[in-house]
Amino acid sequence: MLWIDKYRPKRLDKLILNQEIGDNLSKLVATGDCPHTLFYGPPGAGKKTLIVALLREIYGAGAEKIKVETKPWKIALPSRNIEVELTTLSSNYHVEMNPSDVGYQDRYVVQEIIKEMAKSRPLDMKGQRGFKVLVLNEVDRLSKEAQASLRRTMEKYSAACRLVMSCTNVSRVIEPVRSRCLCVRVAAPSTAEVQRMLAHVAKKESLSLPDSLSLRVAQASERNLRRALLMLETCRVAQYPFTPDQPVQLADWELYIQEIASDIMQEQSPKRLFQVRGKLYELLVNCLPPTLILRKLVLELLKKLDEEVQHTALALAAQYEHRMQEGQKAIYHLEAFVAKFMSEYKQWSIMAFG
Amino acid sequence: MVQPWVDKYRPKSVSDVAHQEEVVQTLEKALEGSANLPHLLFYGPPGTGKTSAALAIARQLFGPELVKTRVMELNASDERGIGVVRNKIKGFAAGAVGSSVAGYPCPPFKLIILDEADSMTSDAQNALRRTMEAHSKVTRFVFICNYVSRIIEPLASRCAKFRFKPLHGNIMTDRINHICTEEGVTMGSGSMETLSKVSGGDLRRAITTLQSAVRLQGPDVAPATLLDVAGAVPDAVTSAVLSACRSNSFAAIQTAIADAIAEGWPAQAMLLEIQAALLSNDDDGVSESARAGVLLALAAADKALVDGADEQLQLLNVASATQKALCASA
């Protein structure tokens, strides 16, 4: 079992980070009034941990018996029938899913599945909860139509079914949905907190962790606890006992993007653009989100640039990332960004150095 | 199931609708027994009582029983394309009026309430034109929207228009105090001011925020809780970003924005705060044109965020534009 799973706090009162939120949530459950909830915050901040702990607080240990199901949902539309396949994680009390996985048909999934859940009220009334919980991950990736149809469904079926949602980019969740939820902000742990967690896990695993290594892991993780723990585990596999100057292994794709960035800086020519394009494709076929690629790439480029060009590079990145959201094929926009950046950079360097 | 306070304390009669005197006067006259109610168009910012007023008229005209058959309410979450206008709405509008119930005015027409009408397509609106006239003997329409400019002119000219004003501080305070006494909530010092600040004249938002705060922290409401629940960005975060913008160092804004994102502050709220800070402070030696430049960047970023662009990149871009403006004019 990975350390992130092994040491994930299971209960609200066992939380180490975000204790305040945990206290508030257990108060909420104690009053029996459990509204629709929306957790938002950066990745690796503990949204999922909070959700799992919240479910356990509501339903007790039964919520941990989870079965995974991939089942086709037959949906009858007025004009035609469609069939979508969706993986759900469910216990007796809750269903968890990623409705954005089905792409543009997400609206029907939202409508059908919530309706189906709401129709069958939970049988076991000993648990004294008259409602089920539907956990929706990544609601920010749902289409606007799907979110709009959540709106009415949330009100209509709120007696039998509560929604618990999580997202990173809260701007993409439409206001009417937000205003129907209790919004809970989950902040990323500070570097010191990440270090504290690393020390905690190291102690449980009875490892001795030098401070300088834990500091470097925490910094490299960019306040993402999940990444920090994974990195620590990688370090453990690579070499134990730890040495203070041990290298912290970054993920493959990060190294690859660093490589692309230095390629771009070395030479600005159509030929190099062609090579970079190949590398970008390589990243895309490995299912990295294009937004992440572009963000990481521009952050790497910024490190290597003079102040004057930094502003330009950033403006370009913001512009092309926006276009990427509007457009269909990410590769065009990634490539356009690289081409435009190359030309701007070349012009600047000719101006500056002749 | 605990009812949302927004629904629980919705005004039950037209006269309870707060702060909209002209509207209330006109509607009460119509209620006083004369059967003459024009088609209505309510417009105004969110949370000012438009839907409440429409629902209250319906209830007062027909009473709880007849409302089910005489009133049709459609909002943006229902399908409202041209097909629905042609079949459902037209069918309902054309139907004859049944018998009346004692104790209520029960005028001889039906009511169709189209909530959030500005999100209807102009095709669908056009399809309504003739329907409104042809069945005006038996049907009245109520359109509710935020932007009157999105209602096509032929529809708007067939209606009596009412503008709903944003609620002033003390009127909102009255309503909130009323709810607080009913629910046994005590407001800490400064909570009321904070609440009206974060809600910006939107009563619904104020009530929802209050209820969420009470759910989380119990019946003693402190300003900090309200800010947290409303997702408002504390001043400290904004001023950290702005001082980074003044510093003329790109690395500084990069760290400031990375921190703000890691703390999970919503980017759109950050934009609002930056705008407020920029506009409220006019003796900081920033030229008017530089200020306007920053506002342009803010607007572009907001549009991009609504389209789903990355929060970090957009915020960084705004910060970089702000930095350029501030440092060029300093």
Side-chain angles (χ1 to χ4, degrees):
Chain A
M1 201 193 242
L2 286 174
W3 289 352
I4 37 170
D5 293 323
K6 197 164 161 191
Y7 296 109
R8 188 194 284 273
K10 297 259 164 33
R11 294 166 53 171
L12 285 178
D13 51 3
K14 291 272 161 58
L15 291 178
I16 300 175
L17 300 172
N18 298 321
Q19 263 167 342
E20 204 182 327
I21 302 177
D23 287 348
N24 286 337
L25 288 176
S26 40
K27 267 189 244 163
L28 207 63
V29 174
T31 58
D33 165 28
C34 194
H36 300 301
T37 325
L38 172 66
F39 292 92
Y40 64 96
K47 299 184 291 294
K48 201 52 198 297
T49 308
L50 279 170
I51 291 178
V52 173
L54 175 68
L55 286 174
R56 188 187 156 117
E57 183 83 14
I58 299 178
Y59 297 115
E64 281 167 14
K65 285 188 206 118
I66 288 174
K67 61 174 190 282
V68 184
E69 237 182 332
T70 305
K71 97 174 194 194
W73 295 81
K74 285 202 184 68
I75 298 169
L77 300 181
S79 49
R80 70 216 146 95
N81 290 324
I82 55 171
E83 199 175 293
V84 289
E85 213 173 75
L86 189 68
T87 309
T88 55
L89 288 173
S90 57
S91 73
N92 283 341
Y93 309 101
H94 81 282
V95 177
E96 176 181 340
M97 64 177 115
N98 237 352
S100 53
D101 284 353
V102 293
Y104 67 100
Q105 287 168 329
D106 52 2
R107 171 158 62 123
Y108 310 118
V109 171
V110 167
Q111 288 170 342
E112 279 308 304
I113 294 177
I114 298 180
K115 244 179 248 166
E116 181 144 325
M117 279 193 61
K119 269 183 214 154
S120 59
R121 292 187 68 120
L123 280 177
D124 177 23
M125 296 304 279
K126 271 185 303 186
Q128 83 251 292
R129 306 281 176 194
F131 57 85
K132 288 183 173 185
V133 169
L134 180 62
V135 180
L136 299 177
N137 292 322
E138 299 179 6
V139 272
D140 47 352
R141 282 178 53 208
L142 282 178
S143 66
K144 290 272 164 354
E145 293 79 41
Q147 294 188 28
S149 55
L150 265 185
R151 223 171 132 163
R152 187 162 153 73
T153 336
M154 281 169 83
E155 288 176 344
K156 218 166 157 184
Y157 299 112
S158 65
C161 172
R162 297 296 149 78
L163 299 185
V164 174
M165 299 179 280
S166 70
C167 71
T168 48
N169 186 346
V170 81
S171 312
R172 295 184 67 171
V173 181
I174 59 172
E175 176 62 34
V177 170
R178 265 187 276 164
S179 73
R180 282 173 176 75
C181 294
L182 179 66
C183 297
V184 181
R185 182 176 59 90
V186 187
S190 66
T191 312
E193 280 172 325
V194 174
Q195 271 188 283
R196 192 153 60 88
M197 289 305 295
L198 290 176
H200 171 79
V201 170
K203 202 175 138 211
K204 283 269 172 83
E205 287 283 314
S206 40
L207 304 172
S208 74
L209 177 66
D211 279 346
S212 64
L213 180 65
S214 96
L215 181 66
R216 275 188 301 132
V217 170
Q219 278 165 350
S221 74
E222 292 164 350
R223 300 178 66 181
N224 181 335
L225 186 59
R226 179 173 38 224
R227 265 180 79 188
L229 285 176
L230 282 171
M231 280 179 185
L232 185 68
E233 198 165 1
T234 324
C235 288
R236 165 81 175 79
V237 174
Q239 181 187 352
Y240 188 80
F242 294 130
T243 51
D245 53 351
Q246 186 177 355
V248 175
Q249 196 69 38
L250 289 174
D252 290 347
W253 61 272
E254 284 178 291
L255 296 174
Y256 206 67
I257 289 181
Q258 281 176 3
E259 201 181 302
I260 297 178
S262 41
D263 281 355
I264 296 174
M265 294 303 291
Q266 262 170 21
E267 187 187 327
Q268 297 85 38
S269 66
K271 195 170 144 235
R272 183 50 62 91
L273 179 62
F274 186 71
Q275 288 166 358
V276 168
R277 178 200 169 113
K279 291 190 172 175
L280 289 174
Y281 247 126
E282 186 69 24
L283 286 171
L284 284 174
V285 293
N286 280 308
C287 289
L288 272 181
T291 301
L292 186 65
I293 299 178
L294 185 59
R295 187 171 68 212
K296 206 71 199 169
L297 181 60
V298 75
L299 289 179
E300 287 300 328
L301 286 172
L302 287 178
K303 283 186 199 158
K304 301 169 194 278
L305 289 172
D306 275 14
E307 189 120 327
E308 266 176 85
V309 206
Q310 280 179 327
H311 289 288
T312 325
L314 193 59
L316 289 177
Q319 183 191 357
Y320 284 104
E321 200 273 334
H322 177 208
R323 285 195 189 172
M324 199 151 74
Q325 301 299 331
E326 309 253 273
Q328 292 276 336
K329 275 241 179 215
I331 186 73
Y332 295 143
H333 304 279
L334 286 174
E335 204 180 9
F337 166 71
V338 175
K340 184 79 182 160
F341 173 77
M342 279 183 170
S343 112
E344 292 281 336
Y345 183 71
K346 189 118 196 174
Q347 269 179 24
W348 177 81
S349 44
I350 290 172
M351 291 263 289
F353 307 115
Chain B
M1 167 70 187
V2 179
Q3 209 183 3
W5 292 352
V6 179
D7 284 333
K8 196 167 168 189
Y9 296 99
R10 212 183 257 291
K12 295 279 180 303
S13 69
V14 172
S15 53
D16 285 350
V17 174
H19 189 54
Q20 316 290 353
E21 290 82 12
E22 301 96 9
V23 185
V24 170
Q25 247 174 17
T26 321
L27 294 181
E28 290 208 308
K29 262 196 199 124
L31 281 174
E32 272 164 19
S34 64
N36 201 5
L37 190 74
H39 296 301
L40 299 171
L41 170 59
F42 295 163
Y43 64 102
T48 47
K50 300 180 296 296
T51 309
S52 299
L55 292 178
I57 308 169
R59 204 177 299 114
Q60 281 185 290
L61 281 177
F62 303 113
E65 270 313 301
L66 218 51
V67 157
K68 288 173 200 152
T69 54
R70 289 278 190 99
V71 178
M72 177 186 217
E73 190 199 341
L74 293 171
N75 61 33
S77 55
D78 302 298
E79 187 59 49
R80 282 195 308 195
I82 188 161
V84 172
V85 171
R86 281 191 184 137
N87 302 317
K88 215 169 150 189
I89 296 185
K90 217 170 159 184
F92 183 79
V97 183
S99 62
S100 58
V101 170
Y104 292 96
C106 292
F109 53 74
K110 291 168 276 93
L111 212 56
I112 299 184
I113 301 175
L114 292 169
D115 207 344
E116 293 147 34
D118 39 6
S119 69
M120 289 173 76
T121 59
S122 56
D123 279 347
Q125 294 189 33
N126 270 314
L128 274 178
R129 287 164 68 167
R130 191 64 193 141
T131 314
M132 280 175 76
E133 284 175 349
H135 305 292
S136 64
K137 270 193 184 145
V138 282
T139 305
R140 294 289 182 276
F141 282 83
V142 183
F143 296 93
I144 301 175
C145 62
N146 293 127
Y147 304 103
V148 73
S149 52
R150 301 227 186 114
I151 302 293
I152 58 167
E153 186 50 35
L155 279 196
S157 68
R158 283 174 173 82
C159 297
K161 287 185 222 165
F162 294 101
R163 192 175 86 87
F164 281 63
K165 295 169 285 190
L167 299 172
H168 287 314
N170 44 1
I171 289 164
M172 188 183 279
T173 318
D174 285 351
R175 291 301 294 182
I176 297 288
N177 274 333
H178 170 71
I179 293 176
C180 285
T181 27
E182 291 280 313
E183 294 288 334
V185 175
T186 44
M187 299 285 272
S189 68
S191 295
M192 194 61 90
E193 289 75 29
T194 318
L195 189 58
S196 50
K197 196 182 141 220
V198 295
S199 59
D202 179 342
L203 188 57
R204 176 176 43 209
R205 190 148 171 226
I207 297 175
T208 320
T209 311
L210 180 67
Q211 189 177 16
S212 309
V214 172
R215 273 168 169 165
L216 274 185
Q217 297 274 308
D220 295 308
V221 179
T225 324
L226 287 173
L227 281 178
D228 210 30
V229 171
V233 182
D235 291 340
V237 177
T238 330
S239 56
V241 170
L242 282 176
S243 65
C245 291
R246 289 209 184 83
S247 70
N248 205 4
S249 138
F250 192 82
I253 58 175
Q254 233 181 315
T255 22
I257 297 292
D259 279 347
I261 293 285
E263 290 293 321
W265 299 113
Q268 276 178 319
M270 294 274 301
L271 295 182
L272 271 179
E273 290 293 321
I274 294 177
Q275 184 212 28
L278 200 73
L279 291 181
S280 63
N281 199 355
D282 35 349
D283 52 349
D284 52 0
V286 182
S287 72
E288 294 294 313
S289 62
R291 227 188 279 272
V294 177
L295 290 180
L296 271 179
L298 283 172
D302 185 64
K303 159 77 175 139
L305 284 175
V306 171
D307 289 339
D310 186 67
E311 291 190 315
Q312 192 173 1
L313 287 179
Q314 293 299 332
L315 273 184
L316 268 174
N317 193 23
V318 165
S320 119
T322 319
Q323 186 175 50
K324 273 194 272 182
L326 292 179
C327 294
S329 59

